[in-house]
Every structure is written in structure tokens, then in C-alpha cells.
């Protein structure tokens, strides 16, 4: 109103005044819109950044993995778990030497091949059992049992075909018995490390039984002995 009066006094046509006024009003609307939109965009960006930062912070303090397991405290190690680790250790203490003897005393290539599988498999298992025993506080022996040492002595005193047959049957009998033990431990243990160890031992022992059977020298009497040893009493 006042602008129109001033324009009238100055001699500016009213139509021109109306056009200019409308243009100014339109520009004002655009400026307000841009400011509002920019504010929303900025707020949205801030919110997104805030969410990202919160998410990163949450991920950095999420202890649902290994830390959660640690928070539960040390896992139970039963007498069965301890005995299992000891048996795996003792198996390696005589079967690794037996595998070496196969390379020098055997006449059959299949027996030598089985010996190499024993060397490789039990070397890896022995490393694993020593690592797990240290973590779980289980004391391991450094010597095979007297019976196992006797097996090695028998193999040392044999050569050629005699060695081949003795090796195949002694080792197949031993692996068959511990294979059954591994299954029992894996089925019942509550300890994650023992479960992992039993899984690895199971795969290794199964491989060894198969390569020993591939020699064609395993007797039916040996399998019957294993069956009698592992059958429920």
C-alpha cells in the first residue's frame, strides 16, 4: 500500500509497480524454499552421519564373537577330554616312527604310501594336540605306552613282506580302536577345542584306515579284534 502511494507520487505507472512487487514476492518464496530445503538436507546428512557413527560405535563394542565366549569363562575339561588328548599324543609317538620305518623296511609301495600318510597326518595332529593341551592345561606324556613301544620294536625287527603284513595289521587295529573313541568324545564333549580336535582326528584316522586297507594286507582276524574291543560291554 505504502509502496503504491510512493510510486504514484513519483510518477511510476501502477502496472509496473505491480509487476515488480510480484517478482520480488516470487524471489522471496524461492529463497525461503531453498533455505528450508537446504536445512532439511543438512539435517538429513547429519542424521545419516550420526547413524553411521552410532553403527560404527556399536560394531566396535559388539562382543558377540570370541569375546562373548571369553566372557563365559573357561570351558569345562572333563576326564574324558583329558584322556582323549593323551591318547592322541601317544598315538603320534609310535605311529610317526612306524611311518618312517615303512619307508626303509617295507617291500610294498602301498605300505610305503600308507606310511607317508601316517607321517603327515600324525605330525599335524601332534602339533595340534600340544597346542590344545597347553590352552586347556592338560599335561601330555612324552613317551608312548609300553605296548606301543613294543609295536615299534616288532616293526624294527621285521623286513620285506613280513614287515608289510605286520605294519598293516598293527596300525589298522590301533586306528580302528581310537576311531571309536573319537566318535564318543565328539558326541559328548562340551568343550569347543575338543570338538575341533576330534573332528580333525576323525578325518585323519579315517584316511589312515583307508590307506592301510588299500594295502590288501589287513586280516579278517584284525577287524574281528577291533570289533570285540569297541563293542559295548
Amino acid at each position: 500500500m505504502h509502496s503504491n502511494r510512493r510510486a504514484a507520487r513519483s510518477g511510476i505507472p501502477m502496472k509496473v509497480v505491480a509487476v515488480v512487487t510480484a517478482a520480488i514476492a516470487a524471489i522471496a518464496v524461492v529463497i525461503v524454499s531453498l533455505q528450508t530445503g537446504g536445512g532439511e538436507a543438512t539435517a538429513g546428512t547429519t542424521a545419516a552421519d550420526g547413524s553411521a557413527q552410532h553403527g560404527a560405535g556399536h560394531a566396535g563394542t559388539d562382543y558377540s564373537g570370541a569375546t562373548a565366549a571369553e566372557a563365559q569363562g573357561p570351558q569345562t575339561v572333563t576326564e574324558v577330554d583329558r584322556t582323549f588328548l593323551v591318547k592322541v599324543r601317544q598315538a603320534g609317538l609310535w605311529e610317526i616312527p612306524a611311518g618312517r620305518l615303512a619307508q626303509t623296511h617295507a617291500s610294498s609301495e602301498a605300505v610305503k604310501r600308507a606310511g607317508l600318510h601316517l607321517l603327515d597326518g600324525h605330525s599335524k595332529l601332534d602339533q595340534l594336540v600340544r597346542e590344545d593341551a597347553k590352552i586347556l592345561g592338560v599335561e601330555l606324556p612324552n613317551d608312548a605306552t609300553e605296548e606301543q613301544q613294543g609295536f615299534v620294536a616288532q616293526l624294527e625287527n621285521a623286513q620285506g613282506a613280513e614287515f608289510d603284513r605286520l605294519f598293516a595289521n598293527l596300525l589298522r587295529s590301533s586306528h580302528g580302536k581310537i576311531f571309536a573313541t573319537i566318535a564318543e568324545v565328539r558326541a559328548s564333549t562340551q568343550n569347543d577345542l575338543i570338538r575341533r580336535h576330534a573332528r580333525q582326528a576323525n578325518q585323519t584316522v579315517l584316511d589312515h584306515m583307508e590307506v592301510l586297507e588299500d594295502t590288501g594286507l589287513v586280516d579278517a582276524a584284525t577287524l574281528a579284534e577291533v570289533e570285540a574291543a569297541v563293542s559295548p560291554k
Side-chain angles (χ1 to χ4, degrees):
M1 178 74 71
H2 297 296
S3 299
N4 293 340
R5 289 174 181 172
R6 285 196 296 270
R9 294 192 196 102
S10 60
I12 300 173
M14 292 301 296
K15 290 183 178 181
V16 173
V17 172
V19 170
V20 172
T21 302
I24 292 172
I27 291 171
V29 170
V30 171
I31 292 173
V32 171
S33 175
L34 288 174
Q35 288 177 341
T36 305
E40 289 175 352
T42 302
T45 302
T46 303
D49 290 344
S51 299
Q53 290 172 359
H54 177 72
H58 180 72
T61 56
D62 184 3
Y63 299 106
S64 60
T67 308
E70 291 173 3
Q72 296 174 1
Q75 295 186 351
T76 301
V77 182
T78 67
E79 194 59 35
V80 172
D81 295 337
R82 293 177 185 274
T83 300
F84 169 66
L85 292 179
V86 168
K87 285 188 175 183
V88 171
R89 169 68 169 163
Q90 288 176 323
L93 287 171
W94 85 273
E95 292 177 17
I96 290 174
R100 292 196 189 101
L101 285 171
Q103 308 314 304
T104 57
H105 288 50
S107 61
S108 165
E109 290 301 319
V111 170
K112 291 180 181 180
R113 176 173 174 267
L116 289 175
H117 277 245
L118 263 66
L119 277 170
D120 179 63
H122 282 290
S123 294
K124 292 175 180 176
L125 273 185
D126 191 64
Q127 180 180 349
L128 183 63
V129 75
R130 285 185 282 112
E131 291 173 355
D132 288 351
K134 184 176 181 180
I135 293 170
L136 299 174
V138 176
E139 185 175 353
L140 295 177
N142 291 317
D143 298 303
T145 66
E146 289 187 13
E147 181 184 38
Q148 292 167 339
Q149 292 177 39
F151 293 155
V152 175
Q154 290 181 58
L155 292 170
E156 288 174 337
N157 294 323
Q159 290 284 344
E162 180 189 0
F163 176 92
D164 294 346
R165 187 166 295 279
L166 186 62
F167 178 90
N169 286 279
L170 283 177
L171 273 299
R172 179 58 179 81
S173 174
S174 174
H175 280 79
K177 292 170 185 176
I178 199 169
F179 190 66
T181 300
I182 292 168
E184 292 177 4
V185 171
R186 178 61 185 85
S188 63
T189 187
Q190 300 180 43
N191 190 288
D192 290 338
L193 276 179
I194 297 295
R195 287 192 186 106
R196 181 194 68 168
H197 198 103
R199 181 172 63 251
Q200 183 62 47
N202 181 78
Q203 294 170 349
T204 300
V205 172
L206 178 59
D207 171 70
H208 293 175
M209 288 195 300
E210 290 177 345
V211 293
L212 288 164
E213 291 161 2
D214 287 345
T215 65
L217 298 172
V218 177
D219 297 332
T222 297
L223 300 179
E225 177 203 350
V226 173
E227 181 182 9
V230 303
S231 296
K233 302 296 188 289

